[in-house]
Amino acid sequence: MNKGQFIEKLNDALKRLPSSEREDIINDFEEHFEIGLSEGKTEQEIAASLGSPQQIAKEMIVTYRLEQVEETASTGNIFRAVWAVIGLGFFNLVIVLGPFIALLGILFSGWVIGVTFLLNPVLYLLNVVIYPEVFELYGLFFTIALCGLGIFVIIGMYYVTRWLFKGFIRYLNFNVRMVKGGMKDA
Amino acid sequence: MLNVQFKKGVLELCVLVLLDRQDRYGYELVQKISDQIAISEGTVYPLLRRLTKEGYFTTYLKESSEGPSRKYYALTDEGRQYLHELLREWDEFTNGVNELIKEGVSDE
């Protein structure tokens, strides 16, 4: 691979990044090639020791995605960041995707419980309309209590969700810092 | 070679150490590290970018006598603090391992 091919591949793999970000990255590698050439190395030698442009691009994208998530922790940003980290390699697929699915499972069930409790009076009323003969006062109190509990569960889930996502982003950061990459046999 | 999962953190330490005494440009950092450890040189750049974004480095362009200007990396106070933290952890870790090796060897 010569300089042109290397830069082209890198640029290609980075096309999802904003152009200012991408140009900045490309500049660093142009500079790297230029200094290497001035030291008497060939373009091929330099490209070979740099390694795979696709792998470099993946790492760059992860850095960018994690930065985005820290700026605004929207659901879309979190998913994009998780996706980018998983893309780094098979090992990350296992140690990132597993916990992430578990996390989503916990959050999903929590929200479902909250919403069901909250909507319980609706179900109760529906029941009363359909079977008016089974109306019981204790059922009414019970359903009102559940509804109240539902409100608390939902408020609780709001904080739990934010807290868990924050924790997971820290876990992603730790992953990017410690796991895999950089070394020749990595 | 050490477990790959461990090396990435070490690479970070290497870059920080190299910048402790003087500012350096990217190519220089890459060469210094790859002189000592087998690395894919290209992965140093994502690392530099990340640490810059986290506020551990600042960068500036400086003219060079041969050819175009170069991007220099300088350690910030925050970066220096982080370096000392990592160095302390590294010392603790290597001391522990060395101690175990010593004990292991004298047992035989």
Side-chain angles (χ1 to χ4, degrees), chain A residues 82-153:
Chain A
V82 169
W83 189 246
V85 174
I86 288 171
L88 284 179
F90 180 71
F91 191 68
N92 285 38
L93 179 75
V94 180
I95 62 169
V96 171
L97 197 58
F100 189 62
I101 290 172
L103 178 84
L104 289 183
I106 291 167
L107 292 179
F108 180 73
S109 39
W111 281 100
V112 167
I113 289 170
V115 172
T116 339
F117 279 11
L118 186 71
L119 295 180
N120 200 266
V122 177
L123 297 175
Y124 181 77
L125 285 178
L126 217 62
N127 197 36
V128 169
V129 169
I130 300 171
Y131 308 105
E133 67 278 9
V134 296
F135 176 79
E136 276 174 276
L137 207 54
Y138 98 90
L140 182 66
F141 290 137
F142 184 67
T143 198
I144 291 171
L146 268 188
C147 181
L149 197 61
I151 295 173
F152 282 114
V153 171

Side-chain angles (χ1 to χ4, degrees), chain B:
Chain B
M1 276 300 243
L2 268 175
N3 188 336
V4 287
Q5 289 158 36
F6 184 70
K7 288 178 193 162
K8 208 168 181 180
V10 177
L11 199 56
E12 193 169 294
L13 177 60
C14 295
V15 171
L16 286 160
V17 164
L18 283 170
L19 290 173
D20 192 27
R21 293 275 163 74
Q22 62 184 100
D23 302 350
R24 296 177 193 269
Y25 52 94
Y27 185 88
E28 190 185 3
L29 283 168
V30 170
Q31 292 314 314
K32 284 264 179 209
I33 295 172
S34 68
D35 282 350
Q36 304 291 341
I37 323 172
I39 57 165
S40 288
E41 297 182 353
T43 48
V44 175
Y45 287 97
L47 179 73
L48 290 174
R49 218 172 158 73
R50 181 162 57 72
L51 292 174
T52 306
K53 284 182 173 182
E54 286 176 3
Y56 295 144
F57 305 150
T58 52
T59 61
Y60 58 91
L61 288 175
K62 203 166 106 183
E63 297 297 323
S64 124
S65 50
E66 62 242 64
S69 53
R70 292 168 177 179
K71 187 176 179 179
Y72 277 77
Y73 295 84
L75 211 55
T76 61
D77 288 340
E78 216 182 331
R80 195 157 277 119
Q81 219 174 341
Y82 182 54
L83 165 64
H84 290 307
E85 209 175 292
L86 282 184
L87 272 180
R88 207 176 38 241
E89 279 174 30
W90 176 256
D91 281 341
E92 255 172 52
F93 178 77
T94 48
N95 284 341
V97 174
N98 286 337
E99 202 53 45
L100 286 173
I101 291 172
K102 232 191 299 175
E103 282 171 27
V105 170
S106 62
D107 277 349
E108 277 167 21

